[in-house]
Amino acid sequence: QLLAFDDGSSASSAQIKLGLKYEVKEKRFTVFVMQLSNYSALSLPANQNIYVRVVVLPCSETVRCLFRTHCALPQEPVELKEAFSLQVSSTALRQKTLRIDVCTTSKSGREHCLAGAQISLADEEYSEEWCTKWYNLLNCTYMPEMDGKQKETE
Amino acid sequence: QLLAFDDGSSASSAQIKLGLKYEVKEKRFTVFVMQLSNYSALSLPANQNIYVRVVVLPCSETVRCLFRTHCALPQEPVELKEAFSLQVSSTALRQKTLRIDVCTTSKSGREHCLAGAQISLADEEYSEEWCTKWYNLLNCTYMPEMDGKQKETE
């Protein structure tokens, strides 16, 4: 199944730069939320602050797996420079997925996620050194069918 | 911010094995959906067929970016062995995100996504050779807040 693809019309993505590190001796996994670029692809309302939500999943109810950066006004690039750590064995880490979302808070105080990246930690070899990469952020408007579980009304 | 993490209680993930390849001369990106393991982590109803949905995003409305494998009865492991290709320049590919979801169809014919992986193609160097990896599948029950766009009612 080979289909033609229209390059010219392809939209560009907002991107996030993350550093990931696993310290074996301390069993400590750290996510460093560094920078956001091309935020205009997020279709953000004017003068709306944004922040990044970091979740390491699955996690048990007794454990914190959810972190949020401070709020930042959108500018190019958005510097965040905030790190979050949790203790986890390397075996458990390989079962986990890191979910990174750029969010805003609506006037009613509700969290509203604009776009996100999802990083499987199954097959990665993180060393004591930072592994730094840019990740494309998938706009939530592209995920209309993702929420089948909640829309299912049978 | 360093918090203790309970290793013992960490759930295991279903995983999918994918091969990715980019052929420069043909400008052809190929996703090979190989195998699914530990499907019991998906909380699947008994005797329900599953299939894998592959989406390369963002894409324009005039272009096919959505593919589905055949249906398979869950067994350990689930062999799928189906490949999907699309033509895209390497520059455009780096703006894209690959979304892989394990789905079922409900009695009413509605697509129901159980779990998925999301792979940013921003920073990858795919060669003419297959790049084969296992990816953890994030259960959709862990994404209750993902769909803020649709639940927002202000």
Side-chain angles (χ1 to χ4, degrees), chain A residues 1 5 7 13 85 87 89 94-96 99 106 111 116 118 120 123 133 136 154, chain B residues 1 5 7 13 85 87 89 94-96 106 116 118 120 123 133 136 146 154:
Chain A
Q1 301 183 49
F5 201 91
D7 272 3
S13 291
S85 294
Q87 276 190 320
S89 74
R94 286 172 176 276
Q95 295 292 325
K96 302 208 180 283
R99 179 83 217 173
S106 69
E111 184 164 72
Q118 188 174 310
S120 163
D123 206 19
K133 269 193 192 179
N136 289 332
E154 303 172 85
Chain B
Q1 301 180 50
F5 201 92
D7 271 5
S13 291
S85 293
Q87 275 190 322
S89 74
R94 286 172 176 278
Q95 295 292 326
K96 302 207 180 285
S106 69
Q118 188 175 309
S120 164
D123 205 20
K133 268 192 192 179
N136 290 333
M146 278 304 300
E154 300 172 89

PDB file of all heavy atoms in Angstrom, chain A residues 1 5 7 13 85 87 89 94-96 99 106 111 116 118 120 123 133 136 154, chain B residues 1 5 7 13 85 87 89 94-96 106 116 118 120 123 133 136 146 154:
ATOM      1  N   GLN A   1       0.845  -1.190   0.000  1.00  0.00           N
ATOM      2  CA  GLN A   1       0.000   0.000   0.000  1.00  0.00           C
ATOM      3  C   GLN A   1       0.881   1.240   0.000  1.00  0.00           C
ATOM      4  O   GLN A   1       1.341   1.693   1.029  1.00  0.00           O
ATOM      5  CB  GLN A   1      -0.902   0.023   1.231  1.00  0.00           C
ATOM      6  CG  GLN A   1      -1.813  -1.199   1.337  1.00  0.00           C
ATOM      7  CD  GLN A   1      -2.732  -1.099   2.531  1.00  0.00           C
ATOM      8  OE1 GLN A   1      -3.363  -0.081   2.733  1.00  0.00           O
ATOM      9  NE2 GLN A   1      -2.814  -2.141   3.320  1.00  0.00           N
ATOM     10  N   PHE A   5       2.109  11.401  -1.246  1.00  0.00           N
ATOM     11  CA  PHE A   5       2.005  12.272  -0.082  1.00  0.00           C
ATOM     12  C   PHE A   5       2.356  13.691  -0.511  1.00  0.00           C
ATOM     13  O   PHE A   5       3.392  13.917  -1.123  1.00  0.00           O
ATOM     14  CB  PHE A   5       2.977  11.778   0.997  1.00  0.00           C
ATOM     15  CG  PHE A   5       2.613  12.254   2.360  1.00  0.00           C
ATOM     16  CD1 PHE A   5       1.779  11.499   3.162  1.00  0.00           C
ATOM     17  CD2 PHE A   5       3.072  13.456   2.834  1.00  0.00           C
ATOM     18  CE1 PHE A   5       1.442  11.930   4.435  1.00  0.00           C
ATOM     19  CE2 PHE A   5       2.740  13.890   4.095  1.00  0.00           C
ATOM     20  CZ  PHE A   5       1.918  13.135   4.896  1.00  0.00           C
ATOM     21  N   ASP A   7       3.868  16.805   0.001  1.00  0.00           N
ATOM     22  CA  ASP A   7       4.839  17.460   0.880  1.00  0.00           C
ATOM     23  C   ASP A   7       4.509  18.905   1.158  1.00  0.00           C
ATOM     24  O   ASP A   7       4.631  19.389   2.272  1.00  0.00           O
ATOM     25  CB  ASP A   7       6.224  17.426   0.243  1.00  0.00           C
ATOM     26  CG  ASP A   7       6.942  16.164   0.628  1.00  0.00           C
ATOM     27  OD1 ASP A   7       6.330  15.330   1.322  1.00  0.00           O
ATOM     28  OD2 ASP A   7       8.086  16.027   0.265  1.00  0.00           O
ATOM     29  N   SER A  13       5.270  21.244  12.990  1.00  0.00           N
ATOM     30  CA  SER A  13       4.901  20.905  14.357  1.00  0.00           C
ATOM     31  C   SER A  13       5.600  21.818  15.353  1.00  0.00           C
ATOM     32  O   SER A  13       6.732  22.241  15.116  1.00  0.00           O
ATOM     33  CB  SER A  13       5.327  19.464  14.666  1.00  0.00           C
ATOM     34  OG  SER A  13       4.572  18.543  13.941  1.00  0.00           O
ATOM     35  N   SER A  85      12.320  14.651  39.068  1.00  0.00           N
ATOM     36  CA  SER A  85      12.929  13.328  39.273  1.00  0.00           C
ATOM     37  C   SER A  85      12.001  12.407  40.033  1.00  0.00           C
ATOM     38  O   SER A  85      11.194  12.852  40.859  1.00  0.00           O
ATOM     39  CB  SER A  85      14.220  13.453  40.077  1.00  0.00           C
ATOM     40  OG  SER A  85      15.197  14.144  39.351  1.00  0.00           O
ATOM     41  N   GLN A  87      12.132   8.164  41.790  1.00  0.00           N
ATOM     42  CA  GLN A  87      12.928   6.966  42.004  1.00  0.00           C
ATOM     43  C   GLN A  87      12.204   5.764  41.452  1.00  0.00           C
ATOM     44  O   GLN A  87      11.015   5.550  41.735  1.00  0.00           O
ATOM     45  CB  GLN A  87      13.243   6.795  43.488  1.00  0.00           C
ATOM     46  CG  GLN A  87      14.464   7.625  43.882  1.00  0.00           C
ATOM     47  CD  GLN A  87      14.958   7.318  45.263  1.00  0.00           C
ATOM     48  OE1 GLN A  87      14.153   7.137  46.164  1.00  0.00           O
ATOM     49  NE2 GLN A  87      16.261   7.282  45.438  1.00  0.00           N
ATOM     50  N   SER A  89      13.197   1.596  39.678  1.00  0.00           N
ATOM     51  CA  SER A  89      14.223   0.657  39.220  1.00  0.00           C
ATOM     52  C   SER A  89      14.280   0.684  37.701  1.00  0.00           C
ATOM     53  O   SER A  89      13.305   1.058  37.042  1.00  0.00           O
ATOM     54  CB  SER A  89      13.897  -0.757  39.703  1.00  0.00           C
ATOM     55  OG  SER A  89      12.828  -1.287  38.945  1.00  0.00           O
ATOM     56  N   ARG A  94      11.417   0.492  32.325  1.00  0.00           N
ATOM     57  CA  ARG A  94      11.223  -0.023  30.967  1.00  0.00           C
ATOM     58  C   ARG A  94       9.770  -0.378  30.658  1.00  0.00           C
ATOM     59  O   ARG A  94       9.425  -0.654  29.514  1.00  0.00           O
ATOM     60  CB  ARG A  94      12.097  -1.267  30.755  1.00  0.00           C
ATOM     61  CG  ARG A  94      13.543  -0.930  30.587  1.00  0.00           C
ATOM     62  CD  ARG A  94      14.403  -2.171  30.573  1.00  0.00           C
ATOM     63  NE  ARG A  94      15.767  -1.793  30.322  1.00  0.00           N
ATOM     64  CZ  ARG A  94      16.271  -1.587  29.107  1.00  0.00           C
ATOM     65  NH1 ARG A  94      15.507  -1.738  28.050  1.00  0.00           N
ATOM     66  NH2 ARG A  94      17.520  -1.221  28.949  1.00  0.00           N
ATOM     67  N   GLN A  95       8.940  -0.428  31.701  1.00  0.00           N
ATOM     68  CA  GLN A  95       7.507  -0.680  31.485  1.00  0.00           C
ATOM     69  C   GLN A  95       6.746   0.638  31.334  1.00  0.00           C
ATOM     70  O   GLN A  95       5.529   0.632  31.145  1.00  0.00           O
ATOM     71  CB  GLN A  95       6.925  -1.441  32.688  1.00  0.00           C
ATOM     72  CG  GLN A  95       7.496  -2.829  32.877  1.00  0.00           C
ATOM     73  CD  GLN A  95       7.087  -3.784  31.763  1.00  0.00           C
ATOM     74  OE1 GLN A  95       5.975  -3.707  31.239  1.00  0.00           O
ATOM     75  NE2 GLN A  95       7.992  -4.667  31.373  1.00  0.00           N
ATOM     76  N   LYS A  96       7.444   1.753  31.423  1.00  0.00           N
ATOM     77  CA  LYS A  96       6.739   3.026  31.545  1.00  0.00           C
ATOM     78  C   LYS A  96       6.773   3.859  30.265  1.00  0.00           C
ATOM     79  O   LYS A  96       7.619   3.663  29.392  1.00  0.00           O
ATOM     80  CB  LYS A  96       7.313   3.824  32.719  1.00  0.00           C
ATOM     81  CG  LYS A  96       7.211   3.048  34.019  1.00  0.00           C
ATOM     82  CD  LYS A  96       7.100   3.889  35.229  1.00  0.00           C
ATOM     83  CE  LYS A  96       7.004   3.013  36.477  1.00  0.00           C
ATOM     84  NZ  LYS A  96       5.652   2.429  36.641  1.00  0.00           N
ATOM     85  N   ARG A  99       4.655  10.860  29.228  1.00  0.00           N
ATOM     86  CA  ARG A  99       3.701  11.659  28.467  1.00  0.00           C
ATOM     87  C   ARG A  99       3.986  13.126  28.806  1.00  0.00           C
ATOM     88  O   ARG A  99       4.029  13.509  29.978  1.00  0.00           O
ATOM     89  CB  ARG A  99       2.299  11.233  28.889  1.00  0.00           C
ATOM     90  CG  ARG A  99       1.138  11.954  28.251  1.00  0.00           C
ATOM     91  CD  ARG A  99       0.740  11.419  26.891  1.00  0.00           C
ATOM     92  NE  ARG A  99       0.362  12.560  26.082  1.00  0.00           N
ATOM     93  CZ  ARG A  99       0.068  12.525  24.793  1.00  0.00           C
ATOM     94  NH1 ARG A  99       0.091  11.392  24.134  1.00  0.00           N
ATOM     95  NH2 ARG A  99      -0.234  13.615  24.148  1.00  0.00           N
ATOM     96  N   SER A 106      -7.889  27.293  31.490  1.00  0.00           N
ATOM     97  CA  SER A 106      -8.994  28.137  31.006  1.00  0.00           C
ATOM     98  C   SER A 106      -9.459  29.068  32.122  1.00  0.00           C
ATOM     99  O   SER A 106      -9.068  28.930  33.278  1.00  0.00           O
ATOM    100  CB  SER A 106     -10.142  27.260  30.539  1.00  0.00           C
ATOM    101  OG  SER A 106     -10.718  26.633  31.663  1.00  0.00           O
ATOM    102  N   GLU A 111      -7.772  22.557  33.247  1.00  0.00           N
ATOM    103  CA  GLU A 111      -6.579  22.283  32.446  1.00  0.00           C
ATOM    104  C   GLU A 111      -6.984  21.870  31.028  1.00  0.00           C
ATOM    105  O   GLU A 111      -7.886  21.057  30.836  1.00  0.00           O
ATOM    106  CB  GLU A 111      -5.785  21.161  33.103  1.00  0.00           C
ATOM    107  CG  GLU A 111      -4.480  20.865  32.414  1.00  0.00           C
ATOM    108  CD  GLU A 111      -3.566  20.033  33.295  1.00  0.00           C
ATOM    109  OE1 GLU A 111      -3.858  18.844  33.473  1.00  0.00           O
ATOM    110  OE2 GLU A 111      -2.587  20.591  33.835  1.00  0.00           O
ATOM    111  N   GLY A 116       0.937  17.232  22.581  1.00  0.00           N
ATOM    112  CA  GLY A 116       1.779  16.412  23.435  1.00  0.00           C
ATOM    113  C   GLY A 116       2.695  15.470  22.687  1.00  0.00           C
ATOM    114  O   GLY A 116       2.529  15.226  21.488  1.00  0.00           O
ATOM    115  N   GLN A 118       4.710  11.577  23.414  1.00  0.00           N
ATOM    116  CA  GLN A 118       4.609  10.385  24.247  1.00  0.00           C
ATOM    117  C   GLN A 118       5.849   9.551  23.975  1.00  0.00           C
ATOM    118  O   GLN A 118       6.138   9.250  22.821  1.00  0.00           O
ATOM    119  CB  GLN A 118       3.328   9.650  23.865  1.00  0.00           C
ATOM    120  CG  GLN A 118       2.974   8.499  24.760  1.00  0.00           C
ATOM    121  CD  GLN A 118       1.605   7.920  24.379  1.00  0.00           C
ATOM    122  OE1 GLN A 118       0.624   8.632  24.247  1.00  0.00           O
ATOM    123  NE2 GLN A 118       1.545   6.626  24.191  1.00  0.00           N
ATOM    124  N   SER A 120       7.945   6.159  24.809  1.00  0.00           N
ATOM    125  CA  SER A 120       8.053   4.837  25.408  1.00  0.00           C
ATOM    126  C   SER A 120       9.452   4.679  25.986  1.00  0.00           C
ATOM    127  O   SER A 120      10.447   4.978  25.325  1.00  0.00           O
ATOM    128  CB  SER A 120       7.810   3.770  24.341  1.00  0.00           C
ATOM    129  OG  SER A 120       8.286   2.516  24.784  1.00  0.00           O
ATOM    130  N   ASP A 123      12.714   0.679  25.383  1.00  0.00           N
ATOM    131  CA  ASP A 123      13.864   0.216  24.629  1.00  0.00           C
ATOM    132  C   ASP A 123      15.022   1.203  24.694  1.00  0.00           C
ATOM    133  O   ASP A 123      15.922   1.156  23.874  1.00  0.00           O
ATOM    134  CB  ASP A 123      13.419   0.016  23.171  1.00  0.00           C
ATOM    135  CG  ASP A 123      14.287  -1.019  22.471  1.00  0.00           C
ATOM    136  OD1 ASP A 123      14.948  -1.798  23.168  1.00  0.00           O
ATOM    137  OD2 ASP A 123      14.295  -1.022  21.226  1.00  0.00           O
ATOM    138  N   LYS A 133      17.010  15.559  23.266  1.00  0.00           N
ATOM    139  CA  LYS A 133      16.391  15.434  21.947  1.00  0.00           C
ATOM    140  C   LYS A 133      15.240  16.420  21.791  1.00  0.00           C
ATOM    141  O   LYS A 133      14.595  16.790  22.776  1.00  0.00           O
ATOM    142  CB  LYS A 133      15.765  14.029  21.804  1.00  0.00           C
ATOM    143  CG  LYS A 133      16.646  12.968  21.234  1.00  0.00           C
ATOM    144  CD  LYS A 133      15.765  11.769  20.873  1.00  0.00           C
ATOM    145  CE  LYS A 133      16.572  10.538  20.564  1.00  0.00           C
ATOM    146  NZ  LYS A 133      15.692   9.396  20.235  1.00  0.00           N
ATOM    147  N   ASN A 136       8.626  16.189  18.314  1.00  0.00           N
ATOM    148  CA  ASN A 136       7.434  16.842  17.765  1.00  0.00           C
ATOM    149  C   ASN A 136       6.271  16.714  18.734  1.00  0.00           C
ATOM    150  O   ASN A 136       6.105  15.665  19.374  1.00  0.00           O
ATOM    151  CB  ASN A 136       7.024  16.178  16.444  1.00  0.00           C
ATOM    152  CG  ASN A 136       7.989  16.475  15.321  1.00  0.00           C
ATOM    153  OD1 ASN A 136       8.642  17.508  15.324  1.00  0.00           O
ATOM    154  ND2 ASN A 136       8.081  15.568  14.362  1.00  0.00           N
ATOM    155  N   GLU A 154     -22.622   2.685  24.257  1.00  0.00           N
ATOM    156  CA  GLU A 154     -23.472   1.490  24.170  1.00  0.00           C
ATOM    157  C   GLU A 154     -23.963   1.090  25.556  1.00  0.00           C
ATOM    158  O   GLU A 154     -23.184   1.084  26.495  1.00  0.00           O
ATOM    159  CB  GLU A 154     -22.680   0.306  23.625  1.00  0.00           C
ATOM    160  CG  GLU A 154     -22.063   0.546  22.277  1.00  0.00           C
ATOM    161  CD  GLU A 154     -21.138  -0.615  21.941  1.00  0.00           C
ATOM    162  OE1 GLU A 154     -21.652  -1.603  21.427  1.00  0.00           O
ATOM    163  OE2 GLU A 154     -19.945  -0.503  22.227  1.00  0.00           O
TER     164      GLU A 154
ATOM    165  N   GLN B   1      12.708  18.259  43.082  1.00  0.00           N
ATOM    166  CA  GLN B   1      11.530  17.487  43.456  1.00  0.00           C
ATOM    167  C   GLN B   1      11.797  16.011  43.253  1.00  0.00           C
ATOM    168  O   GLN B   1      11.676  15.486  42.162  1.00  0.00           O
ATOM    169  CB  GLN B   1      10.334  17.879  42.591  1.00  0.00           C
ATOM    170  CG  GLN B   1       9.990  19.350  42.707  1.00  0.00           C
ATOM    171  CD  GLN B   1       8.791  19.715  41.842  1.00  0.00           C
ATOM    172  OE1 GLN B   1       7.779  19.060  41.899  1.00  0.00           O
ATOM    173  NE2 GLN B   1       8.897  20.774  41.059  1.00  0.00           N
ATOM    174  N   PHE B   5       9.242   6.086  44.654  1.00  0.00           N
ATOM    175  CA  PHE B   5       8.426   5.416  43.652  1.00  0.00           C
ATOM    176  C   PHE B   5       8.321   3.955  44.046  1.00  0.00           C
ATOM    177  O   PHE B   5       9.307   3.290  44.305  1.00  0.00           O
ATOM    178  CB  PHE B   5       9.083   5.550  42.274  1.00  0.00           C
ATOM    179  CG  PHE B   5       8.135   5.344  41.144  1.00  0.00           C
ATOM    180  CD1 PHE B   5       7.472   6.425  40.586  1.00  0.00           C
ATOM    181  CD2 PHE B   5       7.891   4.073  40.654  1.00  0.00           C
ATOM    182  CE1 PHE B   5       6.582   6.238  39.545  1.00  0.00           C
ATOM    183  CE2 PHE B   5       7.002   3.891  39.622  1.00  0.00           C
ATOM    184  CZ  PHE B   5       6.340   4.970  39.060  1.00  0.00           C
ATOM    185  N   ASP B   7       8.196   0.517  43.284  1.00  0.00           N
ATOM    186  CA  ASP B   7       8.483  -0.413  42.186  1.00  0.00           C
ATOM    187  C   ASP B   7       7.526  -1.596  42.135  1.00  0.00           C
ATOM    188  O   ASP B   7       7.052  -1.979  41.073  1.00  0.00           O
ATOM    189  CB  ASP B   7       9.894  -0.971  42.337  1.00  0.00           C
ATOM    190  CG  ASP B   7      10.890  -0.087  41.647  1.00  0.00           C
ATOM    191  OD1 ASP B   7      10.490   0.976  41.146  1.00  0.00           O
ATOM    192  OD2 ASP B   7      12.039  -0.454  41.603  1.00  0.00           O
ATOM    193  N   SER B  13       3.279  -3.167  30.938  1.00  0.00           N
ATOM    194  CA  SER B  13       2.634  -2.610  29.755  1.00  0.00           C
ATOM    195  C   SER B  13       2.542  -3.652  28.652  1.00  0.00           C
ATOM    196  O   SER B  13       3.408  -4.508  28.518  1.00  0.00           O
ATOM    197  CB  SER B  13       3.471  -1.437  29.216  1.00  0.00           C
ATOM    198  OG  SER B  13       3.420  -0.339  30.088  1.00  0.00           O
ATOM    199  N   SER B  85       3.263   1.949   3.612  1.00  0.00           N
ATOM    200  CA  SER B  85       4.231   2.923   3.114  1.00  0.00           C
ATOM    201  C   SER B  85       3.544   4.188   2.648  1.00  0.00           C
ATOM    202  O   SER B  85       2.403   4.156   2.185  1.00  0.00           O
ATOM    203  CB  SER B  85       5.005   2.345   1.927  1.00  0.00           C
ATOM    204  OG  SER B  85       5.814   1.278   2.348  1.00  0.00           O
ATOM    205  N   GLN B  87       4.761   8.146   0.653  1.00  0.00           N
ATOM    206  CA  GLN B  87       5.841   8.943   0.096  1.00  0.00           C
ATOM    207  C   GLN B  87       5.872  10.300   0.774  1.00  0.00           C
ATOM    208  O   GLN B  87       4.855  10.990   0.880  1.00  0.00           O
ATOM    209  CB  GLN B  87       5.670   9.083  -1.417  1.00  0.00           C
ATOM    210  CG  GLN B  87       6.278   7.877  -2.124  1.00  0.00           C
ATOM    211  CD  GLN B  87       6.356   8.046  -3.614  1.00  0.00           C
ATOM    212  OE1 GLN B  87       5.454   8.613  -4.215  1.00  0.00           O
ATOM    213  NE2 GLN B  87       7.420   7.563  -4.219  1.00  0.00           N
ATOM    214  N   SER B  89       8.976  13.588   1.810  1.00  0.00           N
ATOM    215  CA  SER B  89      10.377  14.009   1.826  1.00  0.00           C
ATOM    216  C   SER B  89      10.931  13.855   3.239  1.00  0.00           C
ATOM    217  O   SER B  89      10.168  13.851   4.218  1.00  0.00           O
ATOM    218  CB  SER B  89      10.495  15.470   1.382  1.00  0.00           C
ATOM    219  OG  SER B  89      10.034  16.320   2.407  1.00  0.00           O
ATOM    220  N   ARG B  94      10.333  14.775   9.225  1.00  0.00           N
ATOM    221  CA  ARG B  94      10.825  15.223  10.530  1.00  0.00           C
ATOM    222  C   ARG B  94       9.830  16.103  11.290  1.00  0.00           C
ATOM    223  O   ARG B  94      10.024  16.405  12.464  1.00  0.00           O
ATOM    224  CB  ARG B  94      12.135  16.003  10.362  1.00  0.00           C
ATOM    225  CG  ARG B  94      13.296  15.110  10.054  1.00  0.00           C
ATOM    226  CD  ARG B  94      14.522  15.898   9.706  1.00  0.00           C
ATOM    227  NE  ARG B  94      15.639  14.997   9.506  1.00  0.00           N
ATOM    228  CZ  ARG B  94      16.376  14.498  10.493  1.00  0.00           C
ATOM    229  NH1 ARG B  94      16.146  14.850  11.735  1.00  0.00           N
ATOM    230  NH2 ARG B  94      17.353  13.672  10.228  1.00  0.00           N
ATOM    231  N   GLN B  95       8.779  16.548  10.599  1.00  0.00           N
ATOM    232  CA  GLN B  95       7.721  17.323  11.254  1.00  0.00           C
ATOM    233  C   GLN B  95       6.600  16.421  11.746  1.00  0.00           C
ATOM    234  O   GLN B  95       5.626  16.900  12.332  1.00  0.00           O
ATOM    235  CB  GLN B  95       7.132  18.343  10.251  1.00  0.00           C
ATOM    236  CG  GLN B  95       8.106  19.403   9.794  1.00  0.00           C
ATOM    237  CD  GLN B  95       8.491  20.355  10.911  1.00  0.00           C
ATOM    238  OE1 GLN B  95       7.685  20.663  11.787  1.00  0.00           O
ATOM    239  NE2 GLN B  95       9.728  20.803  10.901  1.00  0.00           N
ATOM    240  N   LYS B  96       6.720  15.142  11.493  1.00  0.00           N
ATOM    241  CA  LYS B  96       5.581  14.262  11.716  1.00  0.00           C
ATOM    242  C   LYS B  96       5.711  13.399  12.960  1.00  0.00           C
ATOM    243  O   LYS B  96       6.790  13.196  13.499  1.00  0.00           O
ATOM    244  CB  LYS B  96       5.368  13.376  10.478  1.00  0.00           C
ATOM    245  CG  LYS B  96       5.144  14.229   9.228  1.00  0.00           C
ATOM    246  CD  LYS B  96       4.342  13.572   8.185  1.00  0.00           C
ATOM    247  CE  LYS B  96       4.186  14.504   6.986  1.00  0.00           C
ATOM    248  NZ  LYS B  96       3.232  15.590   7.251  1.00  0.00           N
ATOM    249  N   SER B 106     -16.543  -2.148  18.299  1.00  0.00           N
ATOM    250  CA  SER B 106     -17.654  -2.519  19.185  1.00  0.00           C
ATOM    251  C   SER B 106     -18.794  -3.101  18.360  1.00  0.00           C
ATOM    252  O   SER B 106     -18.777  -3.053  17.134  1.00  0.00           O
ATOM    253  CB  SER B 106     -18.141  -1.292  19.936  1.00  0.00           C
ATOM    254  OG  SER B 106     -18.765  -0.419  19.010  1.00  0.00           O
ATOM    255  N   GLY B 116      -2.041   2.908  23.073  1.00  0.00           N
ATOM    256  CA  GLY B 116      -1.271   3.380  21.928  1.00  0.00           C
ATOM    257  C   GLY B 116       0.130   3.835  22.273  1.00  0.00           C
ATOM    258  O   GLY B 116       0.485   4.046  23.432  1.00  0.00           O
ATOM    259  N   GLN B 118       3.155   6.651  20.646  1.00  0.00           N
ATOM    260  CA  GLN B 118       3.270   7.846  19.803  1.00  0.00           C
ATOM    261  C   GLN B 118       4.754   8.095  19.600  1.00  0.00           C
ATOM    262  O   GLN B 118       5.502   8.175  20.567  1.00  0.00           O
ATOM    263  CB  GLN B 118       2.586   9.002  20.524  1.00  0.00           C
ATOM    264  CG  GLN B 118       2.440  10.261  19.727  1.00  0.00           C
ATOM    265  CD  GLN B 118       1.628  11.306  20.495  1.00  0.00           C
ATOM    266  OE1 GLN B 118       0.536  11.021  20.983  1.00  0.00           O
ATOM    267  NE2 GLN B 118       2.147  12.496  20.622  1.00  0.00           N
ATOM    268  N   SER B 120       7.610  10.429  17.867  1.00  0.00           N
ATOM    269  CA  SER B 120       8.047  11.642  17.170  1.00  0.00           C
ATOM    270  C   SER B 120       9.114  11.265  16.147  1.00  0.00           C
ATOM    271  O   SER B 120      10.049  10.533  16.458  1.00  0.00           O
ATOM    272  CB  SER B 120       8.623  12.630  18.185  1.00  0.00           C
ATOM    273  OG  SER B 120       9.371  13.620  17.503  1.00  0.00           O
ATOM    274  N   ASP B 123      13.656  13.594  15.344  1.00  0.00           N
ATOM    275  CA  ASP B 123      15.085  13.527  15.641  1.00  0.00           C
ATOM    276  C   ASP B 123      15.680  12.183  15.267  1.00  0.00           C
ATOM    277  O   ASP B 123      16.743  11.807  15.737  1.00  0.00           O
ATOM    278  CB  ASP B 123      15.289  13.788  17.141  1.00  0.00           C
ATOM    279  CG  ASP B 123      16.672  14.331  17.428  1.00  0.00           C
ATOM    280  OD1 ASP B 123      17.308  14.837  16.501  1.00  0.00           O
ATOM    281  OD2 ASP B 123      17.107  14.216  18.581  1.00  0.00           O
ATOM    282  N   LYS B 133      12.154  -1.877  16.956  1.00  0.00           N
ATOM    283  CA  LYS B 133      12.121  -1.602  18.396  1.00  0.00           C
ATOM    284  C   LYS B 133      10.799  -2.065  18.999  1.00  0.00           C
ATOM    285  O   LYS B 133       9.770  -2.075  18.325  1.00  0.00           O
ATOM    286  CB  LYS B 133      12.192  -0.073  18.634  1.00  0.00           C
ATOM    287  CG  LYS B 133      13.554   0.505  18.831  1.00  0.00           C
ATOM    288  CD  LYS B 133      13.393   1.932  19.345  1.00  0.00           C
ATOM    289  CE  LYS B 133      14.674   2.724  19.314  1.00  0.00           C
ATOM    290  NZ  LYS B 133      14.445   4.102  19.797  1.00  0.00           N
ATOM    291  N   ASN B 136       6.369   0.512  24.462  1.00  0.00           N
ATOM    292  CA  ASN B 136       5.279   0.346  25.426  1.00  0.00           C
ATOM    293  C   ASN B 136       4.015   0.999  24.894  1.00  0.00           C
ATOM    294  O   ASN B 136       4.067   2.069  24.286  1.00  0.00           O
ATOM    295  CB  ASN B 136       5.635   1.011  26.761  1.00  0.00           C
ATOM    296  CG  ASN B 136       6.721   0.278  27.510  1.00  0.00           C
ATOM    297  OD1 ASN B 136       6.883  -0.925  27.356  1.00  0.00           O
ATOM    298  ND2 ASN B 136       7.476   1.008  28.319  1.00  0.00           N
ATOM    299  N   MET B 146      -6.584  13.926  28.654  1.00  0.00           N
ATOM    300  CA  MET B 146      -6.015  14.254  27.363  1.00  0.00           C
ATOM    301  C   MET B 146      -6.954  15.038  26.471  1.00  0.00           C
ATOM    302  O   MET B 146      -6.543  15.768  25.605  1.00  0.00           O
ATOM    303  CB  MET B 146      -5.637  12.967  26.604  1.00  0.00           C
ATOM    304  CG  MET B 146      -4.334  12.395  27.006  1.00  0.00           C
ATOM    305  SD  MET B 146      -3.058  13.642  26.806  1.00  0.00           S
ATOM    306  CE  MET B 146      -3.201  13.950  25.050  1.00  0.00           C
ATOM    307  N   GLU B 154     -17.006  25.729  28.161  1.00  0.00           N
ATOM    308  CA  GLU B 154     -17.244  27.161  28.430  1.00  0.00           C
ATOM    309  C   GLU B 154     -17.905  27.823  27.218  1.00  0.00           C
ATOM    310  O   GLU B 154     -17.509  27.575  26.093  1.00  0.00           O
ATOM    311  CB  GLU B 154     -15.926  27.884  28.648  1.00  0.00           C
ATOM    312  CG  GLU B 154     -15.139  27.359  29.797  1.00  0.00           C
ATOM    313  CD  GLU B 154     -13.762  28.021  29.790  1.00  0.00           C
ATOM    314  OE1 GLU B 154     -13.666  29.092  30.415  1.00  0.00           O
ATOM    315  OE2 GLU B 154     -12.846  27.508  29.153  1.00  0.00           O
TER     316      GLU B 154
END
